Amino acid sequence: IKGLVPCLNKHKPWIETSYHGVITENMDTVLLDPPLVALDKDAPVPYAGEICAFKIHGQEAPFEAEVLNRTSGEGVLRARGPVDCEQQKEYTFIIQAYDCGAGPNGAGWKKSHKAVVHVQVDDVNEFSPVFREPVYRATVTEGKIYDSILQVEAWDQDCSPQYSQICNYEIVTQDTPFAIDRNIRNTERLSFDKQQHYKIMVTAYDCGQKRATESVPVHIDVKPVCKPGWQGWNKRVDYEPGTGSKQLFPKMHLETCDGPLSSVRAMVELQTSHIGKGCDRETYSEKSLQKLCGAASGSTDLLPAPSASTNWTASLLTDSGRDSDLIFRFDGRQAANIPERVVPQNLTDQFTIATWMKHGPSPGLRAEKETLLCNSDKTEMNRHHYSLYVHNCRLVFLLRRDFTQMDTFRPAEFHWKLEQICDKEWHYYVINVEFPAVTLFVDGVTYEPYLVTDDWPIHPSQIDVQLTVGACWQGGEVTTPRFTQYFRGSLSGLTIRPGKIETQKVISCLQACKEGLDINSLESLGKGIKFHFNPAQSVLVMEGDDLESINTAMAKVSYINSRQFPTPGLRRLRVTTTVQCFGEDTCISIPDIKAVVMVLPPSEPRITIAGVERVTWPAAELRTATGVTLFKDIRIISTVTKSDNAFSSGTTAGTPSQSHRSGVLEVMHNLDYCDVLVIGEELNPEHESLEIHHSSLLGKHLDATNSTSGISIYGVDSMAHYEQAIRQVRYHNWRPAGLSERKFRLSCSELNGRYTSNEFNLEVRISVEHVNHLAVQSQYMRPVHHPLVVHTVNSDHIAGTPPAATVVIVMCIATLVAIVVLGIYRIHTTHQEGTKGDEDGGKEPEMDWDDSTLTITVNPMEVRHIIYLRSLIANSCDCVTAESTAVFAGVCCRR
């Protein structure tokens, strides 16, 4: 039997050469194709024809094979543990089948050939999509439809394409102008003005339709269409008076839309032609301005403010509503004759004519001459001795000398052709004559005449001449004398000064603007920036090749107004920019900026004059050489009312000194004139005067003029200097008899009447010349001591005995001696006071000596009878006494 065993198991098991299997992750059974079946030709022999095992080899495969039916050879492939597709998607290994051998103990088993098994792990959709970014941002330009604004991306950890791929994106936010198919796009044109920012929520789905656990936010900013130009500037800049320099464009920058630039040129213009005479200037009177600028004295104002003494301008049209700036408008129908008393009689070879002028093109094809100033024959003839006129936008100055001055062919007409003459803007014209040379200054810039024509001198005659403004007087060669060659335009401050010409420094001062453009911190501009101001500082040009440097420089451009009380209102700003690109003349166009500076109204000062309103002076004091001071204790202050937050604890450099006082701020500023007017009848020049000594004005920018109606102190100077000058105004009256009082009125002004003080009224009472010398002893009586012996006697003794009359006569003689001594002392004292009058004007004598009747009175106080001395005859006194016993009461002596 033993020899037959090998013969029973003659064949090896047979299996397929390869298998393909699929296992779903997290499952344990592998589905094989073909199925796992082993065959053995020894069947149906027991054991030898049966399959007992399948064995797996290689790769440490996590699988095992199990025989389901030994007879049929069917088997199953299982996973030994969980299979994760995300860790390994497929496995390859070797499998063999084993039969059961020749007997129950398995001896003599045989194995099959090796078969290759490929197992693929099927995925389960266990993961949700996740976005790669926590938030998405994008910026779009308004007005465009985008195919793709931005792309969002989600991913899935599942291993299979079915579950790991993202098949769909969705916008969760409702009612948005966007759509998504992984790329977000806008479905309509966006508007920056309508909405500048959008926030939308987006989710994702994998191909197994599993949704992302968390949606992702998407931020989309809308920017305006890129337009090259300045950005970040304000259309209005408020300027508070007294704050110095203020930046106009602190946050402005130039947007060039990423264009390649080689250089930038920006021009800033401050337009102030509507303010005063072309810009904000000091509006003091022409006389005050000339003194303030150090001009030579002796000028004649041909266009003063109308008054009783300057009435020739009363019929002219004025435009003085703004800032008290006196402007005369001429419409071709007005002119003024200058009185002969005002006209300079001899201009000499050196003189100056100056004026402000605003003039436009003349109407009509053939323009006529328009005369500003003309000196012509008054009657009989029509000769122009000198004149200043405009003709076809040319300024012409005519100067004809007399034969008495020269008898040769000499320069007579000087012509200038300038744009300023007809540009309808204010300009300051100064003509300096140093015959035969004539020089024109316009706004401080020198211009030589382009044409000079010669003429013969004028023949001498006895014909009077007439100086006119606004036209030329034609007194001869016509039936009716009349004005001709009328001027059309505006004039202000027309003056003529014989004997001297004006210096460049004074001319620049007289026309200087007090407002303009400025640059904060010039040293920080950088080397790459070039800049240039025009003389008036109303135009600033900046150039640079670096955009950042230009932006920094423009941020430092400022407005400044140095007036303490500037003219309020708008000032227009204009910024013109030119950009150059590499290799091109211009590349992008930068729109102009138009903005305004609003100068806020200054706090208006309240000028207050205070002092003693009633004084009494003895008539004798009015007759002295020094007279009497009227405003000995006058005080001038100026205040402004401001809110609490307007007060500051300190004073910065360059600002007026200020003191805080119960809600009112006291300010220090200049005055330009103070007038002392006589109320009632004018002064009688034969025996009255109102004057101020010249020495009181030394060291000050002040002058004074007086007349029978009062005295005027003028000039731009401090309130303290005006106080000092006004305290030296003195009143004299050499014949005060019959005058009981005089009244005066004091008022002051700043800026030519823009701000005026209260009217301070002073009443001067003139006392009668009877003085009670014992009740009130004068300082002049104190050095002389003659004790008065007072006796109390019985009335009967006085009436009946001669010694009483003797006593009285002795007393009369003693009184006469006292009068003589006091008179000599008074004369000596008065002489000493006269020599010190100017030095010590603030101290007045308490009382002057009165050399009229002397009256000595003592209150008897409980005495019944008073003795009177009534008369003094010849060189002695006859004393009349009352008949009673009494205290000696008084003496009446008449020289």
Side-chain angles (χ1 to χ4, degrees):
I1 296 174
K2 288 182 180 179
L4 295 175
V5 172
C7 297
L8 293 177
N9 191 9
K10 296 188 294 185
H11 299 92
K12 297 185 295 182
W14 178 89
I15 58 176
E16 299 286 346
T17 56
S18 66
Y19 294 91
H20 293 276
V22 176
I23 182 173
T24 302
E25 62 178 347
N26 301 324
M27 303 292 287
D28 61 353
T29 302
V30 180
L31 300 178
L32 290 175
D33 182 25
L36 183 59
V37 177
L39 300 177
D40 198 319
K41 290 183 178 181
D42 294 323
V45 177
Y47 299 110
E50 297 177 353
I51 304 300
C52 277
F54 293 98
K55 289 187 179 180
I56 295 174
H57 308 283
Q59 293 188 358
E60 297 182 357
F63 297 99
E64 60 184 6
E66 180 183 347
V67 177
L68 296 178
N69 190 320
R70 295 173 59 176
T71 302
S72 61
E74 293 180 48
V76 63
L77 186 62
R78 288 189 175 91
R80 294 199 300 267
V83 180
D84 191 349
C85 176
E86 285 72 38
Q87 293 182 358
Q88 190 166 338
K89 292 183 179 181
E90 59 183 25
Y91 296 89
T92 301
F93 51 88
I94 302 298
I95 191 170
Q96 287 180 303
Y98 291 81
D99 60 15
C100 294
N105 58 358
W109 49 264
K110 292 184 182 292
K111 59 181 179 181
S112 68
H113 61 273
K114 293 179 179 179
V116 178
V117 180
H118 296 280
V119 178
Q120 180 180 342
V121 181
D122 275 356
D123 189 20
V124 174
N125 195 4
E126 56 184 331
F127 293 99
S128 300
V130 177
F131 287 94
R132 294 192 181 275
E133 300 292 340
V135 61
Y136 289 87
R137 299 182 184 278
T139 301
V140 297
T141 302
E142 65 174 345
K144 294 177 62 177
I145 296 293
Y146 289 83
D147 293 331
S148 176
I149 296 174
L150 79 160
Q151 186 180 79
V152 296
E153 185 180 1
W155 67 288
D156 196 311
Q157 296 185 47
D158 291 313
C159 65
S160 65
Q162 179 182 2
Y163 300 131
S164 64
Q165 290 183 0
I166 306 300
C167 284
N168 187 29
Y169 291 91
E170 183 180 302
I171 296 175
V172 179
T173 307
Q174 300 294 319
D175 300 326
T176 63
F178 300 98
I180 190 171
D181 54 2
R182 185 177 183 180
N183 292 318
I184 297 178
R185 65 185 186 279
N186 57 318
T187 57
E188 61 184 55
R189 300 182 190 277
L190 305 179
S191 170
F192 176 81
D193 294 332
K194 181 179 178 181
Q195 190 166 344
Q196 293 87 38
H197 178 79
Y198 291 89
K199 178 183 177 182
I200 58 177
M201 302 300 295
V202 175
T203 191
Y205 295 88
D206 62 19
C207 293
Q209 293 303 303
K210 194 174 186 69
R211 179 177 171 173
T213 305
E214 294 183 1
S215 299
V216 67
V218 178
H219 296 272
I220 299 176
D221 292 319
V222 181
K223 69 176 183 179
V225 176
C226 185
K227 299 175 182 178
W230 293 101
Q231 297 181 1
W233 54 278
N234 295 323
K235 292 184 178 180
R236 168 173 164 162
V237 179
D238 287 344
Y239 181 81
E240 182 75 26
T243 56
S245 182
K246 181 167 185 177
Q247 289 175 274
L248 297 174
F249 317 110
K251 298 180 180 179
M252 187 172 74
H253 65 278
L254 182 61
E255 174 62 62
T256 61
C257 297
D258 300 324
L261 308 180
S262 61
S263 67
V264 179
R265 181 181 186 273
M267 181 172 67
V268 185
E269 297 177 82
L270 179 67
Q271 300 170 355
T272 60
S273 58
H274 61 291
I275 301 295
K277 295 192 290 287
C279 68
D280 212 0
R281 294 180 169 92
E282 296 295 3
T283 56
Y284 296 114
S285 66
E286 202 63 31
K287 271 190 174 181
S288 295
L289 280 176
Q290 289 179 357
K291 190 166 185 64
L292 188 65
C293 290
S297 59
S299 68
T300 301
D301 190 357
L302 301 180
L303 286 177
S307 67
S309 58
T310 58
N311 57 2
W312 67 89
T313 60
S315 62
L316 300 179
L317 299 176
T318 60
D319 182 14
S320 57
R322 293 178 299 199
D323 203 13
S324 300
D325 208 355
L326 186 59
I327 294 170
F328 291 90
R329 289 191 295 111
F330 297 86
D331 61 0
R333 293 177 301 209
Q334 292 89 22
N337 283 326
I338 309 300
E340 187 175 352
R341 59 182 171 80
V342 178
V343 179
Q345 297 303 313
N346 184 13
L347 290 182
T348 73
D349 285 343
Q350 284 190 342
F351 61 93
T352 299
I353 297 175
T355 186
W356 285 95
M357 181 176 74
K358 180 180 180 181
H359 182 264
S362 303
L365 297 176
R366 185 177 178 277
E368 296 181 354
K369 294 180 180 180
E370 298 179 55
T371 303
L372 287 75
L373 178 68
C374 180
N375 185 268
S376 59
D377 289 331
K378 200 169 191 178
T379 58
E380 301 182 28
M381 303 181 72
N382 187 29
R383 299 175 303 174
H384 295 184
H385 296 259
Y386 63 87
S387 67
L388 180 64
Y389 61 90
V390 174
H391 189 211
N392 288 325
C393 291
R394 290 165 174 80
L395 186 67
V396 182
F397 176 62
L398 169 69
L399 179 61
R400 302 280 304 278
R401 311 313 298 263
D402 293 339
F403 259 112
T404 55
Q405 297 170 310
M406 61 184 63
D407 58 357
T408 58
F409 209 54
R410 299 303 298 270
E413 275 192 344
F414 304 84
H415 300 249
W416 294 270
K417 185 178 181 180
L418 304 172
E419 293 181 358
Q420 296 94 318
I421 296 171
C422 287
D423 66 358
K424 297 182 180 180
E425 303 289 347
W426 279 104
H427 299 284
Y428 188 55
Y429 298 82
V430 178
I431 295 178
N432 270 351
V433 178
E434 289 182 287
F435 195 80
V438 176
T439 304
L440 171 68
F441 292 85
V442 180
D443 298 331
V445 180
T446 308
Y447 295 92
E448 296 297 330
Y450 81 94
L451 175 65
V452 178
T453 59
D454 295 345
D455 204 345
W456 291 103
I458 293 178
H459 292 281
S461 68
Q462 300 301 317
I463 302 174
D464 292 336
V465 292
Q466 177 64 60
L467 182 63
T468 55
V469 173
C472 202
W473 179 256
Q474 187 172 0
E477 302 178 359
V478 290
T479 306
T480 305
R482 58 185 175 87
F483 286 113
T484 185
Q485 299 176 6
Y486 283 99
F487 178 71
R488 293 177 176 85
S490 297
L491 297 176
S492 180
L494 177 59
T495 61
I496 185 168
R497 176 184 288 108
K500 293 182 180 179
I501 62 171
E502 211 60 273
T503 64
Q504 175 83 49
K505 181 180 179 181
V506 171
I507 293 172
S508 298
C509 175
L510 289 172
Q511 60 90 36
C513 286
K514 295 298 182 180
E515 64 179 339
L517 298 173
D518 191 22
I519 297 178
N520 281 341
S521 183
L522 283 172
E523 59 275 4
S524 63
L525 276 184
K527 297 181 180 179
I529 297 296
K530 300 177 182 178
F531 67 92
H532 172 71
F533 285 101
N534 70 334
Q537 283 196 221
S538 60
V539 177
L540 167 63
V541 178
M542 284 187 170
E543 295 184 64
D545 53 9
D546 178 62
L547 185 60
E548 191 61 34
S549 297
I550 282 288
N551 288 337
T552 302
M554 289 296 287
K556 297 180 181 297
V557 177
S558 305
Y559 170 82
I560 188 170
N561 194 316
S562 60
R563 294 188 68 192
Q564 189 174 356
F565 304 108
T567 304
L570 292 176
R571 275 76 164 161
R572 301 192 182 279
L573 282 169
R574 185 186 185 95
V575 180
T576 306
T577 310
T578 304
V579 176
Q580 291 185 338
C581 295
F582 294 99
E584 302 179 26
D585 292 336
T586 57
C587 48
I588 57 177
S589 177
I590 306 296
D592 292 351
I593 284 181
K594 293 181 180 179
V596 296
V597 177
M598 173 59 79
V599 178
L600 303 177
S603 298
E604 295 197 359
R606 181 181 179 183
I607 306 171
T608 304
I609 303 175
V612 177
E613 298 180 354
R614 291 182 180 85
V615 294
T616 301
W617 285 102
E621 287 295 333
L622 273 63
R623 290 196 296 264
T624 62
T626 57
V628 297
T629 56
L630 295 180
F631 306 99
K632 182 178 178 180
D633 60 349
I634 203 68
R635 180 82 172 93
I636 305 175
I637 62 171
S638 183
T639 57
V640 294
T641 303
K642 289 191 175 183
S643 57
D644 292 339
N645 57 7
F647 295 106
S648 58
S649 58
T651 301
T652 59
T655 60
S657 60
Q658 303 171 343
S659 61
H660 186 185
R661 190 180 57 169
S662 65
V664 175
L665 193 66
E666 184 175 335
V667 293
M668 303 302 296
H669 58 76
N670 291 329
L671 300 175
D672 57 353
Y673 67 81
C674 286
D675 291 338
V676 179
L677 300 178
V678 179
I679 302 176
E681 293 184 4
E682 293 189 355
L683 299 176
N684 188 336
E686 294 183 0
H687 59 81
E688 280 184 295
S689 71
L690 195 62
E691 59 189 43
I692 181 172
H693 198 276
H694 180 69
S695 61
S696 302
L697 304 178
L698 292 178
K700 305 178 180 67
H701 297 290
L702 299 177
D703 271 335
T705 59
N706 61 351
S707 66
T708 58
S709 60
I711 187 169
S712 179
I713 303 172
Y714 63 90
V716 181
D717 212 333
S718 65
M719 290 187 290
H721 279 178
Y722 266 93
E723 275 185 5
Q724 295 170 14
I726 293 170
R727 289 172 183 173
Q728 300 303 317
V729 174
R730 292 178 171 271
Y731 171 62
H732 300 256
N733 193 324
W734 296 276
R735 293 201 297 271
L739 185 66
S740 61
E741 65 178 15
R742 263 294 191 188
K743 294 182 179 180
F744 302 92
R745 177 174 296 152
L746 170 64
S747 62
C748 295
S749 154
E750 164 66 335
L751 294 173
N752 203 21
R754 179 179 174 187
Y755 304 116
T756 56
S757 71
N758 61 309
E759 292 183 343
F760 177 78
N761 293 319
L762 174 68
E763 182 179 329
V764 179
R765 295 177 179 175
I766 302 170
S767 64
V768 294
E769 299 181 342
H770 296 284
V771 185
N772 188 338
H773 289 284
L774 291 184
V776 181
Q777 282 196 351
S778 169
Q779 60 176 329
Y780 306 113
M781 297 176 64
R782 290 169 190 160
V784 183
H785 300 282
H786 291 282
L788 179 64
V789 180
V790 180
H791 301 272
T792 304
V793 294
N794 186 275
S795 57
D796 295 334
H797 177 74
I798 294 175
T801 60
T806 304
V807 171
V808 174
I809 292 173
V810 171
M811 293 302 299
C812 279
I813 296 172
T815 302
L816 282 174
V817 173
I819 291 173
V820 172
V821 173
L822 288 176
I824 294 172
Y825 179 77
R826 170 59 179 164
I827 292 171
H828 176 69
T829 305
T830 302
H831 175 71
Q832 288 183 332
E833 295 244 355
T835 60
K836 298 188 297 180
D838 292 336
E839 299 176 4
D840 194 17
K843 296 181 179 180
E844 298 295 335
E846 294 177 5
M847 186 177 293
D848 290 339
W849 176 253
D850 183 4
D851 58 357
S852 62
T853 304
L854 174 67
T855 303
I856 303 174
T857 307
V858 176
N859 188 353
M861 298 299 294
E862 298 181 355
V863 178
R864 298 179 183 177
H865 305 284
I866 300 175
I867 303 174
Y868 293 96
L869 299 177
R870 293 293 185 186
S871 62
L872 179 62
I873 301 173
N875 293 325
S876 63
C877 289
D878 292 338
C879 297
V880 181
T881 61
E883 82 180 295
S884 74
T885 302
V887 177
F888 176 75
V891 179
C892 258
C893 295
R894 194 161 45 249
R895 291 195 299 269

